[in-house]
Amino acid sequence: MMKVKIPKGSASGSLAPNVVDPPLEKTKITHKIRCFHSSFPLFAWSVRDLSRYPIETILLFLSMVALVAILGAAFLLSQALSSTAGRLLKNSPSVVVRRVNPTGWSALPAKESIRLAISVPGVIQAGTRIWGMANGPGGPLTVFGFDESHRLSDLAQSVPLPKRGEAVVGTGIATNETSEVLKLAAQNTLILKITGTLDAKTSMVAHDMVLVHPDDARRLFGIAEGYASDLIVDVFHETEADAILPDLSRAFPWPVRMTTRKEATGIYGSASARRSGIVYIAIIPAMLALAFIVFGVFKGQITQSCNVGMYKALGWTTTNIFQMQLLKALVIGIPAVTTGMVVSYGLVFRPGSSWPGYLFFGWKNSSPQLFLNTSGAILTLIEIVVLIFLPYLAAALWPALRAAVSDPQDFLESKQR
Amino acid sequence: MNCRNFDTSKSLPADRLGISSMVGILVMVFSILALLLLFLDSGFKSASDQVESLELVRALGLNSLSLVPSGRPLRNPGTNDLSIDLRFDPKLGQIPLDGSDLVLKVSD
């Protein structure tokens, strides 16, 4: 004879006689909880039913947390890098003009270039930059020199200005080098004294950057006096940048290559999306696997026990059984998705996080610390929740739906066999 | 307090319905609180962490981020110009290229 353990809570009766009256406050809390599960009895039944399968419940919870966290981190990182690049480069020059010749980039005459750029209608400001790549102690570094443009005053407020023979370095170089001297090699070799370090919060723009005096930069890159690496141009409105490119190109007597702010920002957006796309490829089979696991767990819980048959035999309706299964799925799913969202949000938006540099951007020794924008993060997270939660619910409810409409005798007989 | 006199409210301690209900409520409250914190953090997080970077971008006229190490194409967007014919790159002169190797030879 099969023994079926009938839940005692379903039978009417009084409290056990040895229960001592609790203090008043505790009584109030207990009363509220009782009120809650009196109003929503299926909720308590669902949680209790889950606790009968602790290993399956915990594993399902953890696998869902992992899936949401990984997918969320990939989505958020892509979106946040794109938005942060847009915000940081909002103050960048509208157009960067470089002189080209058959051998590559070449220096352009500073004053003449500025005069020619200013003559183009729509250009409100023009300046030159002296910069390039030099070989440093740990590999290639970006070396920037100051020119006589108006932008110097902005920088002087937050960064110590290097004099001749001095260098101010980014945090990536400062952490690599314990020495106070920096040796740089390009066209010529320079030995500079490190006099300052840029703030760690500038890591996203100047992690492996060296700021030097313009004369030192010219000497390092072999740029003659009066010449510059490239020209920066500002226009009144960003949309004008594309429109003036043909005029700007015609204004110079030598061939030039121009990069607009929009192009530069777009390149970072697409690059981060491409890198995160690698994660998406892995996510599709992972989501399928989760759906199969969910289906298997819930189907197993239903068919391996005679609960459904017993409940129906006791008078539960199909709706009751379906609601309980839905609540079970939600009791696991909502905390799992929330935890996954919190984990992914923390991974991406924790100030100074540096793991994306190692994982996606090829840094080896010291990766730049990221300080990313959170705008749009919630929308992205909602998309992920929908993407994962709907298949999860479908996988969880399908076996319940099938079981709820079946004959209870089948379950009871299958248990007997 | 209005509270329906449902059977489960009088459940015995061995039923664990009371503790199940409490665990369920705590889990849900935790989830709602975590979501609220997430909303608040994303909504009110200031952009003060980027002030120094914005100053540096403006001061130096930067149009690139240091997301990737120096020397890679993504570090300076637009510097790798496809219109420049690299056959004229002086560095290529060091590579011993022989054009005859590229011609297809048909055997007799």
Side-chain angles (χ1 to χ4, degrees):
Chain A
M1 181 69 185
M2 182 195 70
K3 285 184 182 176
V4 176
K5 190 182 175 186
I6 298 171
K8 289 175 185 172
S10 62
S12 61
S14 59
L15 285 169
N18 57 346
V19 174
V20 182
D21 283 344
L24 187 64
E25 287 179 9
K26 197 178 172 185
T27 313
K28 280 181 182 173
I29 296 168
T30 316
H31 181 71
K32 280 178 184 172
I33 292 167
R34 279 180 178 171
C35 278
F36 179 81
H37 74 72
S38 298
S39 307
F40 306 100
L42 278 176
F43 182 76
W45 279 72
S46 310
V47 179
R48 193 182 69 165
D49 209 41
L50 283 174
S51 69
R52 294 172 66 196
Y53 309 94
I55 294 171
E56 285 99 328
T57 305
I58 291 168
L59 285 178
L60 197 56
F61 174 82
L62 290 179
S63 59
M64 236 182 132
V65 169
L67 188 65
V68 174
I70 295 169
L71 188 60
F75 264 97
L76 283 179
L77 185 67
S78 165
Q79 183 265 338
L81 277 175
S82 179
S83 123
T84 308
R87 180 175 154 72
L88 287 178
L89 296 179
K90 201 174 69 179
N91 285 343
S92 68
S94 304
V95 185
V96 175
V97 183
R98 294 187 181 90
R99 181 182 177 182
V100 292
N101 63 21
T103 62
W105 310 113
S106 64
L108 41 78
K111 284 183 181 168
E112 189 189 350
S113 304
I114 292 172
R115 184 180 58 77
L116 292 169
I118 291 285
S119 69
V120 175
V123 173
I124 55 169
Q125 218 163 352
T128 52
R129 304 190 299 186
I130 302 166
W131 70 281
M133 303 287 169
N135 199 18
L141 302 173
T142 302
V143 182
F144 251 87
F146 302 126
D147 60 9
E148 297 78 22
S149 77
H150 66 286
R151 295 165 193 271
L152 183 64
S153 59
D154 293 332
L155 185 63
Q157 292 167 7
S158 56
V159 179
L161 293 176
K163 296 170 189 163
R164 283 187 182 83
E166 292 179 351
V168 175
V169 296
T171 45
I173 302 162
T175 50
N176 288 343
E177 289 302 303
T178 50
S179 167
E180 287 183 354
V181 174
L182 181 68
K183 189 179 175 186
L184 297 173
Q187 289 282 331
N188 299 301
T189 303
L190 284 184
I191 296 174
L192 303 164
K193 185 187 174 192
I194 298 174
T195 55
T197 307
L198 294 171
D199 193 289
K201 287 179 179 174
T202 62
S203 200
M204 279 192 73
V205 293
H207 186 63
D208 59 351
M209 188 180 280
V210 184
L211 303 180
V212 297
H213 191 274
D215 291 347
D216 286 338
R218 279 197 190 92
R219 202 147 53 91
L220 182 65
F221 298 118
I223 298 172
E225 182 69 36
Y227 279 75
S229 305
D230 53 25
L231 182 74
I232 52 176
V233 169
D234 281 332
V235 294
F236 183 71
H237 197 270
E238 191 174 351
T239 50
E240 291 173 20
D242 288 326
I244 67 158
L245 291 183
D247 293 340
L248 208 52
S249 178
R250 275 194 297 271
F252 298 103
W254 53 79
V256 291
R257 161 94 171 119
M258 290 173 284
T259 311
T260 60
R261 184 192 298 153
K262 202 167 70 178
E263 282 174 342
T265 311
I267 286 168
Y268 286 112
S270 60
S272 61
R274 200 165 50 244
R275 280 162 172 76
S276 306
I278 298 164
V279 181
Y280 304 157
I281 295 166
I283 282 298
I284 294 164
M287 278 179 66
L288 269 176
L290 180 80
F292 283 125
I293 290 168
V294 171
F295 183 80
V297 167
F298 282 99
K299 192 170 187 288
Q301 284 183 13
I302 288 165
T303 54
Q304 283 174 14
S305 69
C306 59
N307 285 354
V308 175
M310 188 185 71
Y311 293 149
K312 291 188 94 170
L314 287 172
W316 284 42
T317 61
T318 302
T319 314
N320 291 146
I321 293 166
F322 187 76
Q323 280 175 344
M324 192 173 87
Q325 203 65 20
L326 176 69
L327 283 170
K328 278 168 68 177
L330 291 178
V331 165
I332 301 178
I334 290 174
V337 164
T338 311
T339 311
M341 283 164 76
V342 171
V343 170
S344 61
Y345 186 88
L347 278 173
V348 174
F349 293 112
R350 183 178 59 84
S353 64
S354 55
W355 64 269
Y358 294 114
L359 207 59
F360 295 120
F361 296 114
W363 290 91
K364 285 175 185 165
N365 297 324
S366 117
S367 169
Q369 298 177 20
L370 303 181
F371 298 88
L372 298 169
N373 274 2
T374 55
S375 58
I378 293 298
L379 276 179
T380 309
L381 285 173
I382 289 169
E383 282 172 26
I384 295 156
V385 168
V386 171
L387 196 68
I388 293 175
F389 214 71
L390 288 183
Y392 165 77
L393 273 185
L397 294 182
W398 178 245
L401 197 65
R402 288 190 63 184
V405 295
S406 58
D407 186 1
Q409 187 64 26
D410 295 343
F411 286 101
L412 296 173
E413 281 176 357
S414 69
K415 185 70 180 177
Q416 269 185 319
R417 284 197 293 270
Chain B
M1 185 182 287
N2 292 328
C3 177
R4 281 189 294 154
N5 192 17
F6 194 79
D7 282 343
T8 42
S9 64
K10 294 177 182 175
S11 62
L12 292 171
D15 283 344
R16 296 191 298 175
L17 276 177
I19 191 80
S20 297
S21 191
M22 190 181 273
V23 168
I25 292 167
L26 283 176
V27 164
M28 288 298 158
V29 167
F30 159 77
S31 304
I32 292 164
L33 279 179
L35 276 177
L36 268 177
L37 282 175
L38 211 69
F39 274 94
L40 288 175
D41 188 74
S42 68
F44 293 99
K45 200 171 192 175
S46 70
S48 59
D49 287 341
Q50 293 169 353
V51 171
E52 288 87 350
S53 295
L54 283 167
E55 274 180 12
L56 202 62
V57 166
R58 175 155 179 76
L60 294 175
L62 295 176
N63 69 330
S64 61
L65 304 178
S66 61
L67 288 178
V68 295
S70 294
R72 301 204 181 180
L74 187 61
R75 177 57 188 270
N76 298 109
T79 51
N80 45 342
D81 190 357
L82 298 174
S83 64
I84 297 172
D85 194 337
L86 289 176
R87 285 178 300 176
F88 298 106
D89 192 330
K91 291 191 284 294
L92 279 178
Q94 298 163 7
I95 305 169
L97 276 179
D98 186 1
S100 61
D101 292 341
L102 304 173
V103 178
L104 284 174
K105 291 169 185 170
V106 182
S107 59
D108 295 330

